[in-house]
Amino acid sequence: MRSSVYFYPTLKETPQEAQIVSHRLMLRSGMISQVTAGIYTWLPSGLKVLNKIAQIIRQEQDRAQSLEVLMPTIQPAALWEKSGRYHIYGKEMLRMVDRHEREMLYGPTAEEVITDIFSRFVKSYKDLPKRFYNIQWKFRDEIRPRFGIMRGREFLMKDNYSFDLTVEGAKASYQAMLEAYVRTFARMDLTAIPVRAATGPIGGDLSHEFQILAETGESEIFYDAAYETLDVNTITLERLQTLYAAADELHDPQTCPVPADQLRTARGIEVGHVFYFGTKYSIPLGAYVTGPDGKQVPVEMGSYGIGVSRLVGAIIEAHHDDKGIIWPESVAPFKVGLLNLNIKDKACTEMCEDLYQKLLQAKIETLYDDRDMGIGAKFADMDLIGLPWQIIVGPRSVTTGQCELKNRRTGEKIEISLEDVLKRMCYCG
Ligand code: 5CA
C-alpha cells in the first residue's frame, strides 16, 4: 500500500479527550474515529488490526472443536422473556420497537438466540458435545463509555456457547476454552492471567476472567505472590482452583486464603470471560436431549467471551513507547514500512519502487511512504503507527546499494544490502 493512496490521518497533538495511552495512540495513528459516545468508525489501520485479531481468535476457536456461526445483532424481546432476563437486564440493553409494534433489542450477548437454535435442531445426546461461536457486534448502553474502544457501547465480541450432556462434559468444554484462550493471547504477545470472577447478568456458579496487567486497567485484582503464569500445558480447572487470583468483587479479606504478606493487588484489563452456568438457559428455552436411557435431560451449558475490539486497546497498552505503538507482528496492520527519504530524487525513487514491487511479489505486507514531505515527519509517523520493521532508503542508497533496516521494538538499526533486506523480510517473523 502506498501512503499517498492510503488513509491514516495521523495527529501530532495529543487529543484532549483521551485519558489512556491506547486511546491516545489509536486516535493519533488514525485507527478509529468517534461517531458519538462509545461508538466508533474503524478506519483502515484499525480495521486491519481488528481483523487480524479476529482471525487468530477464529483459528484457536476452530482448533477447540467449535463451529462458527453468525447470529444477528437484533434480537426479539420474546426470546428474552422466556429466559426471564428481559426485565432484569436493565438500562444497559438498547431496546426498540419495530413497525409491527414488536419489542426488539440490540443484543448485548446471545445465550438466548443460540440456545433456541440448539433446542430446535439437536435432539439426542449422540450429537453432543456441541460448541458454537460467533464474532459479532454487541451493544451495551454503558453508563460511562470511556477509554475509546476499551469500554465502548458498540463493541466486537467473540462469544462461544457449549452444550454438553453432563457436568463433567461441560467442565471439559470449559477447560478446552481455557486452553484456547491461553494460546490465543500468547499469539498476540499478551500474558493473560485467569482470575476467579463474579458471574453478573450472565449467571452461573463458575467463572474466570482473563486479565492483562496494565496500570490503566479498570479491574482491580488480588493474587498470591506465588501465583504462576499458566501455559497451555498446565492450565486446568483443577489447577486454577488451587491458585489464588480473584477479581475485586470476589475478594473478601475475611475469607482470603492468602497470608497478608503474600497478597498482592494489581490492575488489569479484562479481555475474556468464561462462564459455566449449567441449565440456567436450557431449561427455560427448552434445550433438552434424549439421554442414553431414553429420558429427556436439559443440556449443561457454558459461555465464553473475548472482547475482540477491546483487545486492540489492550495490545497497545502492553506494547508501546513514548514514540508510539509497537505492534506484535501477528496483528500489525503491515509488517514493513518502506521509507523513501527523497521522492524527488529519481534514482532513489526508482530503487524504492523496485523494492516495493519485490516486497509485494513476496506477499510481504508493506506500507510504502511515497509522500512528498519532510523526513522528520515521515520518521515520526512511522514510529507512531508502529509497524515492526522499517526499511529506510535515501539517495545515498543509490551509490552504496545499502539501506537501513530498523527494528521498531528494539530500535536497532543495521546497514544491509537491498537483496538481503528482501530475504530477511521473507524469512523473519
Ligand atoms: N455471554 C458472555 C460470554 S460469551 C458475556 O457476554 N461475557 S462478558 O459480559 O464478560 O463479555 C465478554 C467480553 O466482552 C468481556 O470479557 C470484555 O472483554 C468484552 N466487553 C464487555 N463489555 C465491553 C465493552 N463495553 N466494551 C468493550 N468490550 C467489552
Side-chain angles (χ1 to χ4, degrees):
M1 177 62 68
R2 291 168 192 277
S3 291
S4 58
V5 175
Y6 199 47
F7 182 69
Y8 58 125
T10 56
L11 305 173
K12 265 208 218 71
E13 296 77 31
T14 298
Q16 288 303 307
E17 73 268 30
Q19 295 159 27
I20 62 170
V21 69
S22 57
H23 189 195
R24 284 200 287 274
L25 289 174
M26 287 182 77
L27 293 172
R28 286 192 52 213
S29 62
M31 292 175 68
I32 51 167
S33 176
Q34 184 178 304
V35 175
T36 186
I39 299 181
Y40 290 83
T41 294
W42 292 77
L43 301 177
S45 296
L47 184 59
K48 277 176 187 288
V49 175
L50 191 65
N51 284 338
K52 288 197 172 180
I53 292 173
Q55 191 56 17
I56 292 174
I57 294 171
R58 189 172 276 124
Q59 286 166 357
E60 297 303 332
Q61 292 293 298
D62 292 349
R63 190 206 291 267
Q65 313 290 300
S66 306
L67 303 166
E68 186 170 12
V69 296
L70 185 58
M71 291 182 266
T73 53
I74 307 292
Q75 307 178 9
L79 269 182
W80 287 65
E81 302 268 12
K82 280 195 194 170
S83 71
R85 278 206 291 185
Y86 190 56
H87 298 288
I88 56 175
Y89 209 95
K91 290 200 164 178
E92 263 187 28
M93 179 182 275
L94 182 65
R95 298 158 203 258
M96 57 198 107
V97 177
D98 72 10
R99 68 198 298 163
H100 306 292
E101 299 294 317
R102 277 192 284 258
E103 286 179 50
M104 311 292 279
L105 57 103
Y106 194 124
T109 174
E111 278 81 3
E112 284 78 0
V113 174
I114 197 74
T115 309
D116 177 60
I117 288 169
F118 180 95
S119 73
R120 284 187 285 127
F121 295 109
V122 185
K123 304 289 181 198
S124 165
Y125 78 96
K126 290 183 189 151
D127 297 323
L128 300 184
K130 276 275 174 293
R131 297 168 192 160
F132 296 108
Y133 75 98
N134 80 163
I135 297 175
Q136 177 61 294
W137 293 92
K138 304 288 187 290
F139 195 95
R140 293 183 185 172
D141 205 352
E142 301 276 352
I143 188 159
R144 271 184 51 175
R146 58 184 183 154
F147 303 153
I149 47 76
M150 204 75 105
R151 179 167 294 281
R153 293 200 293 165
E154 188 185 44
F155 59 98
L156 191 60
M157 190 201 283
K158 181 285 296 179
D159 37 326
N160 184 324
Y161 304 87
S162 67
F163 300 85
D164 284 272
L165 180 65
T166 60
V167 176
E168 296 72 49
K171 298 229 161 128
S173 289
Y174 195 93
Q175 161 107 20
M177 274 311 124
L178 293 179
E179 288 173 19
Y181 279 29
V182 172
R183 278 183 206 279
T184 301
F185 299 131
R187 285 181 62 183
M188 300 167 193
D189 282 3
L190 293 175
T191 303
I193 303 182
V195 307
R196 290 166 211 213
T199 54
I202 308 294
D205 43 36
L206 175 63
S207 166
H208 286 90
E209 287 171 359
F210 279 76
Q211 296 277 351
I212 305 293
L213 298 185
E215 274 165 31
T216 51
E218 287 192 283
S219 319
E220 177 155 48
I221 59 177
F222 291 79
Y223 65 98
D224 187 335
Y227 195 90
E228 61 198 78
T229 307
L230 292 164
D231 63 30
V232 258
N233 302 311
T234 55
I235 192 163
T236 60
L237 193 47
E238 285 68 39
R239 186 82 194 96
L240 283 188
Q241 309 287 20
T242 62
L243 295 168
Y244 183 79
D248 56 352
E249 320 90 67
L250 281 195
H251 174 76
D252 177 355
Q254 304 297 316
T255 57
C256 180
V258 183
D261 61 340
Q262 243 177 264
L263 189 67
R264 302 283 184 276
T265 64
R267 300 207 68 82
I269 302 167
E270 181 203 315
V271 290
H273 201 158
V274 295
F275 304 82
Y276 161 67
F277 43 67
T279 56
K280 175 173 174 186
Y281 299 93
S282 50
I283 291 180
L285 287 150
Y288 287 70
V289 292
T290 312
D293 57 3
K295 292 208 180 90
Q296 292 288 297
V297 272
V299 287
E300 291 283 332
M301 289 179 60
S303 74
Y304 315 89
I306 291 183
V308 184
S309 45
R310 177 176 288 183
L311 269 170
V312 180
I315 293 170
I316 296 174
E317 291 291 328
H319 298 282
H320 69 270
D321 63 12
D322 56 358
K323 296 195 180 70
I325 304 169
I326 306 174
W327 289 115
E329 214 154 298
S330 59
V331 299
F334 299 91
K335 175 170 172 172
V336 175
L338 171 61
L339 285 101
N340 180 345
L341 295 189
N342 187 352
I343 70 141
K344 292 206 177 90
D345 183 315
K346 202 162 161 267
C348 174
T349 296
E350 270 169 20
M351 204 165 195
C352 283
E353 290 288 338
D354 182 55
L355 182 57
Y356 177 53
Q357 292 307 328
K358 288 183 174 141
L359 286 160
L360 289 187
Q361 273 159 25
K363 300 216 166 6
I364 294 162
E365 293 169 302
T366 304
L367 181 66
Y368 169 30
D369 194 343
D370 60 345
R371 294 173 299 178
D372 183 10
M373 56 189 253
I375 53 174
K378 282 193 175 187
F379 282 131
D381 265 6
M382 214 36 111
D383 281 347
L384 173 63
I385 66 173
L387 309 182
W389 298 99
Q390 297 176 12
I391 299 175
I392 302 151
V393 178
R396 209 165 53 89
S397 306
V398 179
T399 43
T400 61
Q402 305 266 42
C403 61
E404 218 171 32
L405 175 65
K406 177 174 153 183
N407 178 309
R408 173 68 182 86
R409 180 174 302 277
T410 62
E412 190 200 352
K413 281 186 189 169
I414 56 164
E415 288 274 326
I416 181 169
S417 73
L418 288 145
E419 297 91 71
D420 286 350
V421 84
L422 189 63
K423 281 193 207 131
R424 257 190 83 162
M425 289 304 101
C426 290
Y427 292 113
C428 69

